[in-house]
């Protein structure tokens, strides 16, 4: 049996004690206990990697990143425009197989994302290249799989894909067309894209859940599977690497992340 956290355990005991003391346990009380147990099961093994008050354990340019009201905030202003994308990078390791959970909120003009299994870019501070769970304020791309500085789009919203090896000779860009990898093979449609986009709340808090296991990469937004990639390109895929969040070149914007948890598998 999985162990409860102390808080969850006490909540369950209190609910049961109240029900027993009153001589009855109605359906709503039973549901509350079940929900508490389920919440603990859902978070079993996850470790909080952002403390909500400092940047301890993270490396980012303070021009663009700060902590405020329990959230990790990335912001671009008229005075701090970017010439290239910047990341705040977790310093706790280079996860291989893992699950990542967080909440995010982004302004309408915002462009961000969670990079994982990524490499540092030589010669550039706070730059990553690798897989990204895309996030944008206009909700055109939120949840898709985009590979920063590498193979570009690996799955659009609503796609389950297989990524085939490079066929054209030359560098990676020789196998990219219209900002998508030519080896992107759609194996299944996960749903209607426009309907799936409706699960994302504009300028409000949303939940992101990334599962990376072996060569399969799944991105969930508010419980909906938005993209599902199986990477069959051994020469270009990565199986472990850095984790970080992005502020993207563009107009003034703000993105917030909070309740950031990681479970290594």
């Amino acid at each position: 049996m999985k162990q409860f956290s102390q808080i969850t355990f006490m909540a369950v005991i209190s609910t049961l004690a109240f029900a027993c003391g009153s001589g009855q346990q109605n359906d709503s009380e039973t549901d509350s206990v079940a929900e508490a147990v389920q919440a603990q099961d859902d978070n079993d093994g996850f470790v909080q990697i952002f403390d909500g008050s400092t940047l301890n354990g993270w490396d980012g340019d303070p021009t663009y990143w700060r902590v405020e009201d329990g959230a990790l905030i990335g912001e671009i202003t008229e005075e701090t425009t970017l010439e290239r994308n910047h990341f705040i990078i977790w310093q706790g390791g280079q996860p291989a197989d893992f699950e990542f959970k967080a909440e995010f909120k982004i302004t309408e003009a915002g462009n961000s994302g969670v990079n994982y299994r990524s490499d540092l870019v030589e010669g550039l501070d706070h730059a990553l290249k690798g897989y990204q769970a895309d996030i944008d304020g206009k909700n055109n791309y939120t949840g898709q799989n985009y590979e920063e500085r590498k193979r570009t789009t690996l799955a659009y919203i609503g796609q389950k894909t297989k990524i085939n090896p490079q066929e054209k000779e030359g560098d990676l860009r020789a196998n990219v067309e219209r900002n998508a990898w030519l080896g992107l093979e759609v194996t299944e449609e996960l749903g209607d894209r426009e309907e799936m986009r409706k699960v994302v709340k504009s300028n409000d808090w949303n939940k992101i859940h990334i599962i990376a296991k072996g060569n399969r990469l799944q991105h969930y937004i508010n419980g909906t599977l938005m993209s599902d990639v199986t990477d069959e390109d051994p020469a270009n895929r990565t199986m472990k690497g850095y984790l970080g969040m992005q502020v993207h070149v563009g107009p003034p914007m703000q993105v917030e992340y909070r309740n950031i948890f990681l479970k290594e598998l």
Side-chain angles (χ1 to χ4, degrees):
M1 179 180 290
K2 296 179 180 177
Q3 292 184 339
F4 293 163
S5 69
Q6 186 176 2
I7 294 174
T8 303
F9 179 78
M10 293 305 295
V12 171
I13 292 299
S14 297
T15 303
L16 288 174
F18 176 81
C20 291
S22 64
Q24 60 182 4
Q25 186 174 357
N26 61 35
D27 289 343
S28 64
E29 289 163 347
T30 303
D31 290 344
S32 296
V33 173
E35 288 171 3
V37 173
Q38 185 60 51
Q40 177 63 25
D41 286 348
D42 289 345
N43 289 301
D44 187 62
F46 281 87
V47 176
Q48 191 165 6
I49 60 173
F50 167 59
D51 63 20
S53 57
T54 72
L55 292 177
N56 291 344
W58 295 82
D59 181 26
D61 188 332
T63 303
Y64 309 108
W65 293 97
R66 68 182 188 276
V67 178
E68 192 174 290
D69 297 329
L72 179 60
I73 298 177
E75 185 174 30
I76 302 171
T77 68
E78 294 286 358
E79 292 74 33
T80 60
T81 55
L82 288 171
E83 295 183 357
R84 61 173 175 84
N85 300 339
H86 272 247
F87 290 82
I88 189 164
I89 303 168
W90 183 57
Q91 301 298 292
Q94 298 184 46
D97 288 1
F98 68 89
E99 291 189 44
F100 172 93
K101 290 182 179 181
E103 294 176 276
F104 69 89
K105 181 167 65 172
I106 190 167
T107 56
E108 185 178 357
N111 193 337
S112 184
V114 179
N115 261 57
Y116 58 94
R117 288 188 179 177
S118 293
D119 297 319
L120 301 177
V121 179
E122 187 176 353
L124 294 177
D125 293 333
H126 307 115
L128 292 176
K129 58 180 180 180
Y131 300 116
Q132 181 182 116
D134 215 338
I135 294 170
D136 73 298
K138 290 184 172 61
N139 197 24
N140 292 318
Y141 311 111
T142 300
Q144 74 173 20
N145 192 315
Y146 183 87
E147 196 174 45
E148 176 89 359
R149 290 180 177 265
K150 292 182 71 176
R151 292 171 292 177
T152 67
T153 305
L154 301 181
Y156 289 103
I157 294 169
Q159 289 183 337
K160 182 176 183 180
T161 65
K162 181 175 75 169
I163 303 304
N164 297 307
Q166 182 173 348
E167 294 183 358
K168 292 187 177 182
E169 295 183 1
D171 62 17
L172 285 182
R173 294 295 170 172
N175 213 54
V176 171
E177 187 175 289
R178 296 180 181 178
N179 209 33
W181 183 248
L182 290 176
L184 184 166
E185 178 185 340
V186 179
T187 59
E188 184 182 335
E189 295 289 346
L190 300 174
D192 179 81
R193 290 186 190 180
E194 293 308 312
E195 290 301 313
M196 294 176 73
R197 286 188 174 101
K198 292 178 182 178
V199 308
V200 186
K201 294 175 283 188
S202 297
N203 202 26
D204 199 355
W205 289 104
N206 295 275
K207 294 181 180 179
I208 183 169
H209 183 190
I210 301 168
I211 303 175
K213 191 170 183 180
N215 67 337
R216 189 175 183 186
L217 315 166
Q218 296 173 295
H219 298 170
Y220 291 83
I221 303 293
N222 294 331
T224 296
L225 179 60
M226 304 296 274
S227 65
D228 189 338
V229 170
T230 300
D231 196 342
E232 300 286 2
D233 184 5
N236 295 309
R237 72 188 180 199
T238 52
M239 304 303 285
K240 68 175 185 177
Y242 289 96
L243 172 72
M245 276 77 87
Q246 180 196 67
V247 283
H248 197 284
V249 171
M253 58 144 287
Q254 185 180 101
V255 63
E256 301 178 60
Y257 293 93
R258 69 183 185 187
N259 298 325
I260 305 172
F261 289 86
L262 181 71
K263 177 169 72 173
E264 299 196 54
L265 305 175

